Amino acid sequence: MSHQALIAILLLSPFVGFLLNGLRYRSQNYVLAGSIATGAVFVSFICSVMLMMDLIAAPADQRRLTANFFEWIAVGGFKVNAGFVVDQISSIMILIITGVGSLIHLFSIGYMHHDKGVTKYFAYLNLFVFNMLILVLGDSLLTMFVGWEGVGLCSYLLIGFWFSDAAKAAAGMKAFITNRVGDAAFIIGMFILFFSFGTLNMYELNALAPTTVEASWLGAATLGTLMLFIGATGKSAQVPLYVWLPDAMAGPTPVSALIHAATMVTAGVYMIVRLNPMFVAAPNTMMIVAIVGAITAVMAATIGLTQYDIKKILAYSTVSQLGYMFLAVGVGAFGAGMMHLMTHAFFKALMFLGSGSVIHAMEGEQDTRLMGGLKKYLPITHFTFLMGWLAIIGFPLFSGFFSKDEILWQSFASPRGSVFLWVAGAIGATLTAFYMTRLMALTFWGKSRVPKEVHPHESPVIMTIPLIVLAILSVVGGFIGVPHLIGEYLGHIPNYWAEWLAPVIKTLPEAAAPHTATQEWALMTTSVTLALISAFVAYRIYTSGKGTNEAIAKAFGPVYNVVNNKYFVDEAYFGGIINPLVKQSQNLWMYIDVNFIDKTTHVISDMTKGAGSLARSFQTGNMQQYAMYIGLGVVVVLTFVLMR
Amino acid sequence: MPETNILTTIGLEHYLVLSAVLFSMGMAGVLLRRNLIVLLMSIELMLNAVNISFVAFSKFNNNIEGQIMVFFVMTIAAAEAAVGLALAVSIFKRFKEVNIRFFEHLKG
Amino acid sequence: MLLSVVLFLPLVFAAILALWPQKSTIRHLALGFSLIEFLASLAILRNFDANSAALQMVEQYAWVPRFGISYFIGIDGISLMLIMLTTFLTPIIILGSWTSIADRVKGFHVALFVLQTAMMGSFLAMDAVLFYVFWELSLVPMYFIVGIWGGARRIYATIKFFIYTMAGSVLMLLAIIFLMRLTPEVTGGSISASLLDFYKLQIPFVAGEFFTAQTLLFFAFALAFAIKVPLFPLHTWLPDAHVEAPTPGSVVLAGVMLKMGTFCYLRWVIPLFPEAAEHFAWFFVALGVIGIVYGALVAMVQPDVKKLVAYSSVSHMGYVILGIFVMNQYGVNGALYQMLNHGISTGALFLLIGMIYERTHSRMIAKYGGLASALPVFTIMFIIVTMSSIAVPLTNGFIGEFLILMGSFQYSPMAAGISVLGVILGAAYMLWMVKRVFFGPKGEIVTHAEEDKEHALHDLSVREWVVMTPLIILIFWMGIFPNHFMDYSKKSVDHLISNKHNYTLEVK
C-alpha cells in the first residue's frame, strides 16, 4: 500500500470511529461502542507499524514518508498544505499514540461499561486520537496547531465528561482556557517564525534555522521558539501554566492515562524535538526551557508529596516527569527527552490505568487514606503497578532508569547543562521515589483502611490485559535506548534509540567539556542511591502507619501548609488575575458602556430634544401669534429690502 | 397768491399714509383683540386700507386696473364676512361668547 | 440582467406576499421564494469569473441623467461572497422564525424580502446615489422588524438603532454630494455619481492637517460605516438592538447588516481615500484592537445570553476592522473571510438562542444550568457553533482570525500581541457561558421543565435540524477547505491591496 493511503487510513480510522460512535451517541451498548473505538485505533496502530517497517527498511537518510492531501490555506505568500509526514520522530509518536491508545481504549470498555454516556465517551476518545495524530504528523506548525487545539478541545470534552458536576465542568473549562493562553503565544510564535523565515513548514524551518547560535534575546529564532515554548507550557502543563492538569483528573481515569499522561501533555516536548535545529540556534530559549523544566520537576514533585487523592498524586507526578522531559530538551538532549517521553507513556499510562483499576475496585473512591492493603485483593493490579513504580523511581534496568539517568547525565554533561540542573533533577528523582513509594504504601501495602461497605475485587480481564502489556513495556522498554556506558557492560547492546534519531537531531554546536566515565558512574550511583534511600524511608513511614496527615503536618509546620495548598498558585491566579479581570470587566460595562457612551448619546439626544422643545414653544396653535410672526417677518423683510 | 385747492394739494403720499395708518390699526386689531367680531371688523379695515391705496394708485397712475381690483377685494371681503360671521354665530351659540380661543376646541 | 433579477426578485416576492390572500400559506410561499432567490444567486456564482478582478455582470442605465446618476450595479469578488451569504441566510431565517414569529406573519416576510433587496443593493450598487438609496432603505424594514416583533424595550432599541445609523449616513450623503461636484474634473465636464468616476478622482491630501478635503471626506464615510460595523465606541446600539430584536432580526442584523459597514470600507473608503486611510490606519487598528478586547471583556460579564453574543459581535467585528486597516493580503483576506464566518457562526448562535428562548422564555444565564442533560443534541450543536465562534482550527472561525492576526502582526507586532488576547478571552466568555448554561447541576429552568410535564423541554425538532444543518456543514466546510470560498475573492482583494492608490475596476 502506498504511504499516502497508509497515512490516510491511519488518520481517518479514528475519525470514522468517532463518526460511527458519535452518530449513535445515545446507545448504551458498551461492547459495540468499545469495539468500534478500539478497532479504529487498532487499525491505526497496524498502519503505524507498517509505516515504521517501511521507515526501517528505507536507508537512514531517506526515512521520511510524506502525504500531501490538499492545499489548506493559500493567501499571498502564505501557503499551508494538509501535509503529513512520518519520519524518525513522528513514527515513534504514532506508535505510542495508537499502541498505548489501543490498550487504553480496551481498558475503557471495562472501566466505562456502567456509564450511560459510554458511546459518547468512545466517540470523544477517538476524536482525540485523530487530533493527536494530526498534531504529530502535521508537516507544518499550523497543521500541528490544528491538532494542538483539537486535542485541547477533546481534553475539554473529556475532562467535563460528567458535566452535571459543576466542579468537573469547571475543570474542563479551566483546562481549555489555560491551554488557550499558551496557544495564543504559540500563534505569535508562528507569526514570528513565518515573517522571519517565510515558511511554517517544519522541515523548511529547520533547514533555514540560523547556523550560528543567536546570542541576542530578540533574535527571530529566540523569540519565535520562546513563544512556541510558552505554548508548550500550556499544553504540557509546565510552570506557570500547569494548574489545569491536576484539575483535569476530574475526567474518567482512562482519559487521564491517555491524554493527561501518555500523549497530549507530551506534545510540547514533541514540538521542541521536532524543531530542534531551531531551538539549538536559540540557546537563550533552551536555557529557559531547561530552567522551567527543572523548576517544574521539583515543584510538582513536592506537591505530590502531600496529596492523598491517588489520581492527584499521579497528576503531579506527570507534571514533574514532563519537567524532566523539558529539562532534557532544554540542555539539548533531545533523544533522551523523547526516550523519557516514551517510557513515561508506558509506565504512567500503566499507573493511571492501575489507579483506574483500584478506583473501579473501590467503587469510585480515590482517597488513599481509605485504601491500604489492597495487594491481596488486587494481585494483578498490584504487580503491574509495582513494575510501573520500579520504572518511575528509576530502579536500575527498568525503563525509567535508562531514560531518567540519561537526562540527569546530560543535564550535567551537556555544554548547555549545569550542575544546578543536575542537582534539581536529582532532588526531583529523590522526591519522586518518595511520593511514589508513599502512593504504593498507602494504596497497596500496610494495613487495610478500606471502609466495611466496600468490597474490593480484581478487575475483569479486559482491564488487566492492558495493564500486563504496559507493565511488560515498562520493564523492557528502556532497552531500546541503553546508554553507551551501561550497554558496554551488558554485552555491547547498541543504543538503537540514539542511532535511529541521529539523522533528525542536530548536535549542539558547542564542544562538550570532557567528561569521564567515572563521573558518569558516580552521578548515576548517587542519584539511584538517593532515590532508593528515599523510597525506603517512605516505605518505612507509610507502611508503619506513622504517615498520618497530622503527624507530618506537625513535623513540617507552615512549609507543609504551603505545599499542601499547592503553593497557593491557583489562589494567586484567581485572586490576582481572574477575579479582578471579571470585576474590572463589570466596571468597564457599567462605567464605559452604560454610564459613559450611552449617557453621552442620551445627552446628545436630550440636547436635540431641548432644541426641539424650544422650537416647539413657538408653535402654540394661537392664530394671532402666527399672524404676529408673519407681520414681524414682513417688517423684517421690508426693512432689509428698503434699507439697502 | 394762488388759490390752493385742497383737492389738488393732496398727493399720493397722503393717501398712502392714510392707508398705512388704517392698515396698521387693522393689523393691531387682528393681532391683539380676542373678540371675533372685532377681528372681522379689523380685517375689513385692513382690506379697505388696501383698497384706498389701490384707488389712489389707480388715480395717480391713470390706470383703471387698480379700481377693478378693488371690486374683487370688496367681493372677497363680503364673502369673508359672511363665513366669518357664520362661524362667530355658531361659536356664540355654543359658548355664549365670541372669543377666538374657543376655536381651539375645533381641533381634534 | 442576472444581477438585476437577483437584486429585485425579493422585492417582487415582497409584493406578491403583500397581495397574497391566504394567510396560512404565507410562510411556505416565503420559504419557497427565498430558495428560488438562493438558486438564482447560485447562477451568479456559476457565471462569475474568479480569475478576474474586474467588475462583472455590469448593468448601467441612466436614472437622473442631469446629475449623472445612473442605475449602475456590478459584482466583484469582494461583494460576491456577501451576496451569497445574504441569499443563503434568508431561507434559514425564514425557516428559523417559523414558530417564533406568530403575529403579522405577512408583514414580517414582506419586510424581510424588502430588507434583502436593500442589503444586496448596497453590496452591488456602483453608483453613489443608488448606493445611498439602498443603504437607507435597509434601515426601514429593520426598524419595523425590531419595532414590531421585538421584545419589551423594542421601541427604544429600534429608534436608537435607526438614529445612530441615520446620523452617520447624513454625513456620508454630504460627502457623496461633495464628491459628485468634484467629478467634472475627470469626466470632462459632466457631473457623475458613478463610483468608477469617483475612483479616478485625485482628492488632495495633506498629511498632518485635519481640515483637508480627503481627510474630511474619509472621516465622513468612515464614521457612517463605523457606526454600522459597529466599531468601538459607537457600538452601544448593537447590544440593545440585538437583545430586543426577534431571533430572525438578530440573525439578519449580525449576519448581513453589520457586514454592510465593513464591506463599504473595502468598496468605498480605502479605494477612494487611500492616503487618508493609510495615514489614519493606526487609529482604526487601535479601535479595532480595543474593540476586540473590550467586547470580549464586557461579553464575559453579561447576564443575558443574547447580550453576551451581541458583545461578542463587537469583538469579532473588531477583528474585521483590524484586518481591513492593516491593509495587507493576510489582513484583508482574513477580514473578508471573517465577515462570512461571523455571519454564519453568530447567526447560528442567535438561532440557537432563539430556539431555547422559545422553549423556556428566558435568556438569563443564571436561570439555566444542566441543560445538556435535557437537550443533548441542542448542546452538541451549540458547542460546535461555540467552537466556530472561538476559532478552533478546522472550523471557519480559525481561518479568518488567524489570517487577520497574521496581517496585524505584519503591520505591528504589538497590535497582534494585544488582539491575540481576544483568542484567550473569547474562549473564556464563551466557555464560561456554556458551562453555566449547559453544564453543572440542573438550574431553575430545567427543574421546572422536569416537574411540569406539559412544558417539558424537547430536543431539536426536524425543522430545527434543517435550520442548523447547513450552518454546521458550512462551519466545517469553510474551515477545512477555505480555498473553495477564498478563491472567488482573492483576485479582487489582491487587486485592491496592490492598486489602492490608483484603484480602478475594469468593467466586464
Side-chain angles (χ1 to χ4, degrees), chain C residues 299-315:
Chain C
M300 196 156 63
V301 295
Q302 294 305 316
D304 180 320
V305 195
K306 218 170 170 185
K307 216 162 185 174
L308 187 148
V309 178
Y311 275 107
S312 85
S313 281
V314 176
S315 183

Side-chain angles (χ1 to χ4, degrees), chain A residues 336 339 397 401-403 405-407 409-410 478-499 515-518 520-521 524:
Chain A
M339 173 92 176
L397 304 188
F401 166 72
F402 294 115
S403 54
D405 184 67
E406 182 70 10
I407 290 174
W409 168 241
Q410 291 286 350
F479 281 94
I480 198 167
V482 182
H484 180 67
L485 193 69
I486 305 170
E488 277 183 13
Y489 282 84
L490 297 175
H492 296 284
I493 306 173
N495 190 340
Y496 295 109
W497 189 264
E499 279 172 28
H515 294 293
T516 59
T518 328
E520 195 173 346
W521 278 117
M524 188 190 300

Side-chain angles (χ1 to χ4, degrees), chain A residues 290-408:
Chain A
I291 291 173
V292 167
I295 292 175
T296 312
V298 176
M299 183 172 164
T302 54
I303 301 175
L305 295 175
T306 62
Q307 299 298 308
Y308 281 99
D309 184 319
I310 184 168
K311 284 182 72 182
K312 282 272 165 74
I313 302 175
L314 289 174
Y316 282 107
S317 161
T318 306
V319 176
S320 164
Q321 296 298 313
L322 288 165
Y324 273 105
M325 295 176 211
F326 279 99
L327 174 62
V329 294
V331 298
F334 299 105
M338 278 299 282
M339 173 92 176
H340 197 58
L341 190 161
M342 181 189 73
T343 56
H344 176 255
F346 294 152
F347 61 69
K348 193 51 72 64
L350 164 64
M351 284 195 283
F352 263 118
L353 292 188
S355 76
S357 177
V358 170
I359 295 165
H360 191 71
M362 296 290 297
E363 296 166 10
E365 185 54 61
Q366 300 190 7
D367 192 332
T368 48
R369 280 168 290 194
L370 300 176
M371 296 177 187
L374 289 179
K375 184 179 166 185
K376 63 172 182 243
Y377 302 110
L378 306 168
I380 301 173
T381 307
H382 168 250
F383 183 73
T384 52
F385 216 109
L386 194 69
M387 297 299 120
W389 170 66
L390 288 170
I392 195 174
I393 66 170
F395 196 83
L397 304 188
F398 281 70
S399 65
F401 166 72
F402 294 115
S403 54
K404 185 185 274 182
D405 184 67
E406 182 70 10
I407 290 174
L408 285 176

Side-chain angles (χ1 to χ4, degrees), chain A residues 29 234 335 434 490 586 613:
Chain A
N29 185 342
F434 190 90
L490 297 175
Q586 195 93 33
S613 38

Side-chain angles (χ1 to χ4, degrees), chain A residues 60-308:
Chain A
D61 55 341
Q62 288 167 25
R63 283 177 179 157
R64 185 188 299 176
L65 310 173
T66 54
N68 247 331
F69 293 118
F70 55 90
E71 189 179 58
W72 184 31
I73 304 180
V75 174
F78 179 68
K79 286 194 174 56
V80 173
N81 290 327
F84 300 96
V85 61
V86 181
D87 69 351
Q88 287 93 331
I89 307 173
S90 56
S91 60
I92 296 169
M93 291 300 288
I94 54 175
L95 279 176
I96 296 173
I97 295 163
T98 56
V100 177
S102 304
L103 293 172
I104 294 172
H105 276 67
L106 195 63
F107 182 89
S108 297
I109 300 178
Y111 190 78
M112 296 294 286
H113 74 88
H114 56 276
D115 197 280
K116 272 192 230 148
V118 61
T119 310
K120 198 169 69 173
Y121 167 84
F122 278 111
Y124 289 163
L125 219 51
N126 270 356
L127 185 64
F128 168 79
V129 173
F130 169 68
N131 277 308
M132 193 66 208
L133 288 172
I134 291 183
L135 193 162
V136 297
L137 290 178
D139 69 351
S140 75
L141 277 172
L142 197 62
T143 27
M144 177 191 256
F145 188 71
V146 170
W148 189 274
E149 286 253 294
V151 290
L153 168 65
C154 297
S155 166
Y156 164 74
L157 292 170
L158 282 164
I159 295 169
F161 183 71
W162 290 305
F163 52 77
S164 42
D165 181 340
K168 288 178 176 167
M173 186 178 81
K174 184 175 176 183
F176 197 96
I177 295 172
T178 318
N179 269 307
R180 265 278 160 131
V181 177
D183 294 354
F186 196 100
I187 290 178
I188 296 288
M190 282 197 276
F191 293 155
I192 295 174
L193 291 180
F194 176 74
F195 285 113
S196 310
F197 299 101
T199 178
L200 282 183
N201 184 297
M202 288 188 277
Y203 284 97
E204 293 170 19
L205 276 178
N206 284 343
L208 290 168
T211 41
T212 49
V213 296
E214 274 184 4
S216 150
W217 280 92
L218 296 174
T222 308
L223 275 182
T225 49
L226 200 57
M227 285 295 164
L228 292 183
F229 173 64
I230 296 177
T233 58
K235 189 84 8 190
S236 296
Q238 295 297 292
V239 172
L241 296 178
Y242 70 93
V243 288
W244 63 271
L245 186 60
D247 287 27
M249 296 302 125
T253 308
V255 169
S256 311
L258 178 61
I259 301 183
H260 306 122
T263 56
M264 181 184 91
V265 289
T266 60
V269 182
Y270 167 75
M271 184 269 296
I272 294 179
V273 175
R274 177 97 272 180
L275 281 177
N276 67 77
M278 196 56 91
F279 276 83
V280 166
N284 290 329
T285 307
M286 298 257 302
M287 185 178 79
I288 299 276
V289 174
I291 291 173
V292 167
I295 292 175
T296 312
V298 176
M299 183 172 164
T302 54
I303 301 175
L305 295 175
T306 62
Q307 299 298 308
Y308 281 99

Side-chain angles (χ1 to χ4, degrees), chain A residues 372-508:
Chain A
L374 289 179
K375 184 179 166 185
K376 63 172 182 243
Y377 302 110
L378 306 168
I380 301 173
T381 307
H382 168 250
F383 183 73
T384 52
F385 216 109
L386 194 69
M387 297 299 120
W389 170 66
L390 288 170
I392 195 174
I393 66 170
F395 196 83
L397 304 188
F398 281 70
S399 65
F401 166 72
F402 294 115
S403 54
K404 185 185 274 182
D405 184 67
E406 182 70 10
I407 290 174
L408 285 176
W409 168 241
Q410 291 286 350
S411 68
F412 172 75
S414 157
R416 291 185 185 173
S418 86
V419 69
F420 298 108
L421 293 175
W422 181 84
V423 170
I427 293 174
T430 315
L431 294 173
T432 305
F434 190 90
Y435 68 73
M436 286 314 299
T437 314
R438 173 175 173 268
L439 171 66
M440 287 300 287
L442 286 174
T443 311
F444 292 104
W445 303 331
K447 275 196 214 114
S448 173
R449 297 177 298 278
V450 181
K452 286 202 179 61
E453 56 279 11
V454 179
H455 304 287
H457 53 89
E458 182 59 283
S459 300
V461 183
I462 203 159
M463 287 165 74
T464 48
I465 288 175
L467 290 177
I468 294 165
V469 176
L470 285 170
I472 295 169
L473 288 171
S474 302
V475 176
V476 303
F479 281 94
I480 198 167
V482 182
H484 180 67
L485 193 69
I486 305 170
E488 277 183 13
Y489 282 84
L490 297 175
H492 296 284
I493 306 173
N495 190 340
Y496 295 109
W497 189 264
E499 279 172 28
W500 174 253
L501 284 177
V504 286
I505 299 292
K506 190 161 177 177
T507 45
L508 296 176

